[in-house]
Amino acid sequence: AQSVTQPDIHITVSEGASLELRCNYSYGATPYLFWYVQSPGQGLQLLLKYFSGDTLVQGIKGFEAEFKRSQSSFNLRKPSVHWSDAAEYFCAVGDNDMRFGAGTRLTVKP
Amino acid sequence: EADIYQTPRYLVIGTGKKITLECSQTMGHDKMYWYQQDPGMELHLIHYSYGVNSTEKGDLSSESTVSRIRTEHFPLTLESARPSHTSQYLCASSVGYGQPQHFGDGTRLSIL
């Protein structure tokens, strides 16, 4: 069965610092992987996706993620965080149906 | 801009009422989904549809029902609301296998 684990419930970083949000998945085949962001009072917005090919994928808002099959991971990164990046981030895996992690809440300190 | 619309955005209502949460999308997507979202929890799939006249229950046991009479419309109905139904409900759609889902802004439901 497919599943997603986001080990960090809450992360705080200073504005301008780098960011890495962790995601581990369990899936029986080559996974379709996604990162979404959710701001308060809104739905989920797609940041990036991985289907195949280059294991480093670029997304919107300066985010990138790296697929590591050997570690069953798909961590999200950003070199320099902006205050507007404060939000909830969800990792997801799936094909016909999608499994979401429980989310990581990002707080950005001035 | 939003291509998938949910109404109402917020609803506070008494126990025992019948509620319908609306979801419409303008993208022509065949697949549509309803999720329940609670703080600190993963999204739980409660219903999905692969097209007109197709509806299936998801992983999370739910006392709600859905219908899919038109491609663009996927309403969710609670026949008799209870306090345990208090949650945020998210609607999503997808163009097909392995493709990302597009989400509405959600309906926050509070049952008194």
Side-chain angles (χ1 to χ4, degrees), chain B residues 35-74:
Chain B
Y35 292 91
Q36 186 170 329
Q37 181 183 30
D38 295 301
M41 307 284 288
E42 64 180 276
L43 274 68
H44 288 291
L45 181 66
I46 50 177
H47 293 284
Y48 60 99
S49 167
Y50 286 160
V52 171
N53 295 325
S54 153
T55 61
E56 302 287 345
K57 288 186 179 292
D59 302 324
L60 183 66
S61 175
S62 173
E63 293 155 347
S64 58
T65 58
V66 291
S67 63
R68 190 86 184 276
I69 299 172
R70 304 196 315 267
T71 297
E72 63 271 21
H73 194 213
F74 191 43

Side-chain angles (χ1 to χ4, degrees), chain A residues 36 38 41 51 95-96 99, chain B residues 9 31 37 59 98 101 104:
Chain A
Y36 290 85
Q38 184 180 33
F51 293 162
D95 40 52
N96 259 339
R99 292 283 182 186
Chain B
R9 290 294 314 278
K31 297 186 176 183
Q37 181 183 30
D59 302 324
Q101 295 180 10

Side-chain angles (χ1 to χ4, degrees), chain A residues 16-99:
Chain A
S18 64
L19 171 70
E20 183 168 27
L21 301 182
R22 296 183 292 164
C23 173
N24 294 99
Y25 67 88
S26 172
Y27 192 76
T30 300
Y32 296 84
L33 293 159
F34 310 85
W35 273 100
Y36 290 85
V37 61
Q38 184 180 33
S39 297
Q42 296 185 10
L44 278 66
Q45 179 186 18
L46 180 70
L47 283 175
L48 48 78
K49 59 190 178 188
Y50 171 79
F51 293 162
S52 63
D54 193 347
T55 56
L56 185 64
V57 293
Q58 303 297 321
I60 63 171
K61 305 185 181 189
F63 285 92
E64 66 178 26
E66 186 171 13
F67 169 59
K68 292 186 177 180
R69 184 189 300 276
S70 61
Q71 299 177 19
S72 297
S73 69
F74 188 56
N75 294 348
L76 182 72
R77 301 196 293 250
K78 186 169 185 178
S80 178
V81 168
H82 188 261
W83 64 267
S84 60
D85 293 325
E88 189 94 17
Y89 291 81
F90 292 90
C91 182
V93 62
D95 40 52
N96 259 339
D97 301 318
M98 201 168 290
R99 292 283 182 186

